[in-house]
Amino acid sequence: MENKNSALKSGWATAFAVASVWFGTHVGGGFASGNQVVNYFSQYGWTAAIYPIIAMGILALVMNIVMKFAKLNGFTNYKDTFAALYPKPWMEVFFEIFYIVILLAAVAAAVAGAGQVLAEFLGFVYAGSTKLIFNLIIVAVLIILSIFGIKLVRAASTVLSTLILITTAVVVIAGFAADFDAISAKLLAENAIQPAVFTAAPGKALWLGIIIYAAFQCVSIPAMIAASQDLSVKGIKRANILGWLMNGLALAASGAMLTRWYPLLAALQAKGVSGFEAAVSGIPNKTVLALIGIKWILAVFSILLFCAFVSTSVTLVFTMIQRFQGYCFPKAIKSEKLRGIIVGAVVIAICFAISLLGLSGIIKYAYGYDGYYAILVIFLPVLIWGIPKVKKLEAAKKAE
């Protein structure tokens, strides 16, 4: 019975379910919008079809070590895992800082993304005071949903995630299938412009597209540790292989498609052509759909992307409320709900301030700098201390 159970826990089907958790965490609004893909991959040219696979491979290796370490120690959460992985338990706060920063940035990006989708859907240019107004509208929606609608959002989040993934896949296929040459020639001639050139910085493309992107995507580690409780060590390896392929190939496909469109989108934005003021710095996938002219897909994509941004924001704000309400003057404020409202208000206020950087600014700078930090507090510790500790634990298990 034990052998049968062990085989079940290492099976490919169970591993796929865990890999899907990583995929769902990674492929959020930043990915679906195309902004994240352009910032880290497509603007540099053909490497956008290769670097994502390498980046996700590196992340899979790091994730595999951390998950094996947690499994061999019997840990089920990231706090215990990193407290044991670092030389001193208190150093776990380093990972905590990384995680909090990336969650705040993710909420801010979702606020900015939802604000832009709503503004453009209603026919406004998302800039200046319009940006401020629409971001405030999104913040108001978040406050209401965080207090009264968290159960509804949680119930709808899985369906929304599935639909946005399907729609994003349709966008990528449509972007490849469209008659790009005809569309590009027409718009370039009408606006008397030349196609933009790719960013000529091979070293920067490699550094940002492989190392930094993989580093800030370590945000998936806590969810993967929790999701892999029923997997064996062999199952964990399989989950990371599948996760690498799912995330790497999806990211590469999106990167290749947007690389095809980047010279046109960047040229239109640089010229300041009406309707294309944020062709690459805003929501590139939406711009591609508008150029292709499939209006019903554009409408569906806009609605789903807006809902996905809002859902992500509410879920992450609620996560932060649960994480910190116990520290919000518990002796002075007895009401748990009141403490939750205070924490939620502070989190949303911080995220609103960050959201004014705009979706592209947040993804480029907030995610990027947290990626640099992750190299120091996650990548290097996993390589320096994680690998030897995992080998020691595996040897001890074999000796038993």
Side-chain angles (χ1 to χ4, degrees):
M1 178 66 76
E2 188 173 340
N3 289 335
K4 184 179 179 181
N5 191 42
S6 177
L8 178 65
K9 291 182 179 180
S10 64
W12 286 102
T14 311
F16 177 79
V18 175
S20 297
V21 172
W22 175 9
F23 189 66
T25 306
H26 174 207
V27 188
F31 176 93
S33 69
N35 191 297
Q36 198 166 284
V37 180
V38 167
N39 262 302
Y40 288 90
F41 301 105
S42 295
Q43 66 168 307
Y44 300 104
W46 63 270
T47 55
I50 299 172
Y51 285 178
I53 298 172
I54 301 173
M56 292 299 97
I58 291 172
L59 180 56
L61 289 173
V62 171
M63 198 124 60
N64 187 57
I65 294 166
V66 175
M67 290 166 68
K68 280 173 67 176
F69 181 74
K71 173 58 64 177
L72 292 168
N73 279 291
F75 299 141
T76 58
N77 61 77
Y78 73 90
K79 289 183 69 66
D80 292 339
T81 300
F82 280 93
L85 188 144
Y86 291 119
K88 302 291 183 181
W90 64 266
M91 292 174 71
E92 181 275 328
V93 73
F94 293 149
F95 183 87
E96 196 81 51
I97 291 169
F98 160 79
Y99 196 49
I100 291 169
V101 170
I102 206 72
L103 289 185
L104 288 172
V107 175
V111 169
Q116 183 168 347
V117 172
L118 183 60
E120 292 177 354
F121 192 78
L122 296 176
F124 292 91
V125 176
Y126 184 72
S129 60
T130 302
K131 177 192 291 187
L132 180 67
I133 292 168
F134 277 92
N135 283 14
L136 281 172
I137 292 172
I138 301 304
V139 164
V141 172
L142 292 190
I143 292 171
I144 295 168
L145 289 176
S146 296
I147 297 172
F148 303 107
I150 185 62
K151 290 183 179 179
L152 173 64
V153 170
R154 280 182 163 178
S157 61
T158 302
V159 176
L160 280 173
S161 297
T162 303
L163 291 174
I164 195 67
L165 286 174
I166 293 170
T167 310
T168 304
V170 171
V171 173
V172 171
I173 294 169
F176 278 121
D179 189 352
F180 170 76
D181 291 336
I183 295 171
S184 179
K186 181 175 181 291
L187 284 168
L188 292 174
E190 285 178 355
N191 295 283
I193 53 177
Q194 294 295 318
V197 295
F198 292 108
T199 304
K204 186 177 181 181
L206 189 148
W207 175 250
L208 292 178
I210 294 179
I211 306 300
I212 299 302
Y213 193 89
F216 75 73
Q217 286 299 333
C218 284
V219 68
S220 301
I221 288 176
M224 288 294 279
I225 292 173
S228 63
Q229 292 182 38
D230 294 329
L231 285 180
S232 65
V233 171
K234 185 178 180 181
I236 286 171
K237 182 179 179 180
R238 288 181 169 180
N240 280 292
I241 290 172
L242 289 172
W244 166 49
L245 293 173
M246 291 163 65
N247 287 281
L249 293 175
L251 193 57
S254 181
M257 187 277 287
L258 285 169
T259 298
R260 184 189 191 204
W261 288 84
Y262 177 82
L264 173 61
L265 302 188
L268 292 170
Q269 178 170 312
K271 180 72 172 181
V273 177
S274 179
F276 297 96
E277 293 87 355
V280 288
S281 63
I283 305 174
N285 279 343
K286 187 169 173 286
T287 308
V288 169
L289 279 179
L291 288 173
I292 294 171
I294 310 175
K295 293 184 179 180
W296 71 269
I297 296 181
L298 177 60
V300 170
F301 179 76
S302 298
I303 293 168
L304 287 175
L305 188 59
F306 174 81
C307 292
F309 276 133
V310 171
S311 173
T312 298
S313 299
V314 174
T315 302
L316 293 181
V317 167
F318 189 74
T319 299
M320 299 288 278
I321 289 172
Q322 289 183 312
R323 177 71 182 83
F324 290 107
Q325 68 176 358
Y327 299 98
C328 183
F329 310 108
K331 292 183 179 179
I333 306 173
K334 300 298 182 183
S335 171
E336 189 174 297
K337 188 171 184 179
L338 179 58
R339 292 201 307 269
I341 292 172
I342 294 171
V343 171
V346 171
V347 168
I348 290 173
I350 293 171
C351 293
F352 169 72
I354 300 172
S355 75
L356 297 179
L357 289 172
L359 182 60
S360 189
I362 295 164
I363 288 174
K364 184 177 180 180
Y365 297 111
Y367 285 15
Y369 288 133
D370 210 27
Y372 281 95
Y373 177 71
I375 293 172
L376 297 175
V377 303
I378 303 174
F379 275 18
L380 292 179
V382 167
L383 296 175
I384 295 169
W385 299 305
I387 292 176
K389 288 185 177 184
V390 167
K391 287 182 176 179
K392 187 176 180 180
L393 286 166
E394 287 180 324
K397 292 287 183 183
K398 287 180 180 179
E400 289 177 5

